[in-house]
Amino acid sequence: MSILVTGGTGFIGSHTAIELLEKGEEIVIVDNLCNSKIEMCDKIKEISGKDFKFYKVDLLDRENLEKVFKENDITEVIHFAGLKAVGESCEKPIEYYHNNITGTLVLVDLMRKYKCKNIVFSSSATVYGKPKELPIKEDFPLSTTNPYGTTKLMIEQILTDIHKSDDEWNVIILRYFNPIGAHESGEIGENPNGIPNNIMPYINYVAADKLDHLNVFGNDYDTPDGTGVRDYIHVVDLALGHLKAIDKIRKMNGQVEIYNLGTGQGYSVLELVQNFEKANGIKIKYEIAERRPGDIAACYADPSKAKNELGWVATRNLEQMCRDSWRYTEKNLK
Ligand code: NAD
Ligand code: UFG
């Protein structure tokens, strides 16, 4: 009996794979390596001290994906695989819809065929659009502003409809807030291609002298210091949320459940910069720039449903996230 981890060599998938292995779970990873590297498999094995099967397979390649189901007794799937860059999704909507939606459809069709009806899906706080109030609860209205976000919302709907048609399916939708940080070993972390879009890798590049300064996108938002507020969550805390979701899905009896995975605490861009400087003793040069189109002022979770029903809370603070991010970057980028 194994858990299939799609996208398991990616940023969140690799951290989750380690936690699953360390807990004693058997896992199988499928990834086409479009945004990760094969070396990640060795790192996961080294850190966890455990072995697992890896298939370099694209979810769109039904024939080879079917082999994974034939050769393994898959009992649950954690579905991370997908393209995730908001800006790129606006330039390449066809590629995003095809990869994320069709990939998921091929996956769930094979799950049905092989009678594995338990899926944990990586969704995002982006599905809340511009929230009407804060903190954000799971039953808030949903809307999206870019193709990436729309794929998340559509997949949530697809999984919900599958459950409606066959109530043997158990579906857990996890809406992540802003994952940052890295494994404390410093061996694995976030390594974006090109110039980073997200703030934490960008700050790390500035700290490493690969970029001159951080552009702070707007200081006139309706927030305490005018800069954008987000709910940053340590990727290891996020990974541990998936272990709780697996425990939960094994006890479920034909349900769809949605959980916010965040800390519940919002920090501004300037607070993040200050925490990074304090944690690592490195000054981060920044300049105030124009607002970034599509950004919202503030976004943070009400994570109480995950606490009450999964027994999960995030325990790592912002300084730790900054320390772990930098440890990884320093080891791997310079
Ligand atoms: P990532 O890009 O590091 O990992 C995704 C992995 O999926 C990569 O290794 C990539 O090679 C693989 N992949 C993509 N398309 C595939 C396909 N068709 N077949 C097989 N493998 C494929 O991203 P991540 O940050 O680890 O995110 C994991 C999931 O969480 C994604 O679904 C993402 O949308 C979601 N999410 C991420 C964030 C974030 O800020 N990182 C926030 C909310 C939600
Ligand atoms: N920011 C800057 N300068 C930068 C980059 C970001 O000031 O160079 C600011 C943004 O304006 C925002 C905050 O830092 O206020 C966080 O921005 P990120 O790009 O790191 O993250 P977002 O909240 O925009 O979006 C991220 C992912 C989405 C996901 C969302 C919620 O990119 O895919 O978190 O999980 F949907």
Side-chain angles (χ1 to χ4, degrees):
M1 296 209 303
S2 301
I3 302 170
L4 172 62
V5 182
T6 75
T9 46
F11 173 48
I12 305 170
S14 57
H15 287 84
T16 304
I18 288 168
E19 298 302 325
L20 288 166
L21 289 166
E22 286 182 345
K23 192 183 167 216
E25 298 284 358
E26 303 248 322
I27 67 166
V28 173
I29 291 183
V30 166
D31 201 300
N32 66 0
L33 302 177
C34 71
N35 198 35
S36 52
K37 297 204 172 77
I38 186 69
E39 293 79 45
M40 183 58 86
C41 289
D42 288 337
K43 293 203 168 178
I44 295 171
K45 287 177 191 170
E46 257 167 48
I47 295 170
S48 66
K50 304 272 175 61
D51 205 358
F52 62 89
K53 275 203 219 171
F54 172 74
Y55 292 82
K56 182 179 182 296
V57 169
D58 194 311
L59 293 188
L60 299 168
D61 175 357
R62 187 188 163 93
E63 206 176 304
N64 280 310
L65 190 59
E66 178 149 15
K67 276 194 199 148
V68 178
F69 282 89
K70 265 196 193 131
E71 291 172 9
N72 300 281
D73 178 14
I74 305 291
T75 44
E76 297 89 12
V77 175
I78 307 182
H79 180 30
F80 293 105
L83 298 174
K84 63 162 184 177
V86 172
E88 190 184 56
S89 78
C90 299
E91 288 151 25
K92 298 180 177 171
I94 298 174
E95 284 80 359
Y96 268 68
Y97 284 113
H98 187 49
N99 189 75
N100 293 4
I101 305 289
T102 316
T104 301
L105 289 173
V106 173
L107 174 69
V108 289
D109 191 32
L110 287 170
M111 288 176 68
R112 175 175 59 178
K113 183 166 174 189
Y114 287 84
K115 302 201 165 27
C116 164
K117 297 184 179 177
N118 298 309
I119 185 164
V120 177
F121 172 61
S122 302
S123 190
S124 164
T126 195
V127 300
Y128 294 114
K130 188 169 187 281
K132 57 174 185 177
E133 56 181 320
L134 293 163
I136 299 172
K137 289 181 191 292
E138 287 84 354
D139 59 3
F140 274 22
L142 306 176
S143 69
T144 58
T145 53
N146 57 73
Y148 164 70
T150 309
T151 68
K152 291 292 166 196
L153 205 47
M154 288 170 85
I155 295 168
E156 289 196 4
Q157 187 64 53
I158 288 167
L159 296 177
T160 306
D161 288 343
I162 291 171
H163 161 80
K164 273 189 203 150
S165 74
D166 173 358
D167 65 11
E168 284 180 5
W169 278 82
N170 292 303
V171 176
I172 294 188
I173 291 165
L174 299 177
R175 294 186 181 143
Y176 310 154
F177 282 67
N178 287 54
I180 60 170
H183 194 266
E184 65 173 11
S185 64
E187 291 297 322
I188 65 168
E190 198 174 10
N191 205 351
N193 293 325
I195 296 177
N197 293 307
N198 295 118
I199 189 156
M200 197 60 187
Y202 203 105
I203 289 176
N204 276 285
Y205 274 44
V206 173
D209 273 337
K210 290 207 167 266
L211 291 167
D212 179 63
H213 66 275
L214 171 72
N215 289 305
V216 175
F217 296 145
N219 67 348
D220 56 352
Y221 283 109
D222 184 15
T223 60
D225 66 18
T227 66
V229 167
R230 295 291 182 275
D231 185 340
Y232 298 100
I233 173 168
H234 196 295
V235 65
V236 173
D237 277 329
L238 194 62
L240 292 170
H242 294 75
L243 272 59
K244 296 289 190 184
I246 289 292
D247 289 345
K248 169 83 180 175
I249 214 165
R250 286 176 177 157
K251 292 188 216 125
M252 275 169 36
N253 203 0
Q255 279 163 260
V256 178
E257 293 293 346
I258 302 174
Y259 298 101
N260 285 339
L261 294 186
T263 65
Q265 171 90 46
Y267 286 98
S268 73
V269 172
L270 295 181
E271 285 174 321
L272 179 60
V273 168
Q274 282 152 16
N275 271 274
F276 188 95
E277 291 179 336
K278 187 165 164 225
N280 299 309
I282 302 170
K283 202 95 194 115
I284 299 299
K285 199 168 138 194
Y286 69 84
E287 285 174 14
I288 305 298
E290 292 286 295
R291 288 183 179 194
R292 183 171 63 177
D295 273 357
I296 55 174
C299 171
Y300 52 91
D302 176 344
S304 55
K305 187 172 178 229
K307 181 179 179 195
N308 296 336
E309 296 183 16
L310 300 179
W312 173 88
V313 279
T315 59
R316 292 160 178 80
N317 66 23
L318 192 59
E319 237 184 277
Q320 200 168 348
M321 300 180 213
C322 292
R323 210 168 30 242
D324 290 342
S325 270
W326 175 241
R327 187 185 299 113
Y328 169 75
T329 308
E330 204 182 15
K331 258 191 170 181
N332 295 279
L333 253 194
K334 272 194 166 170

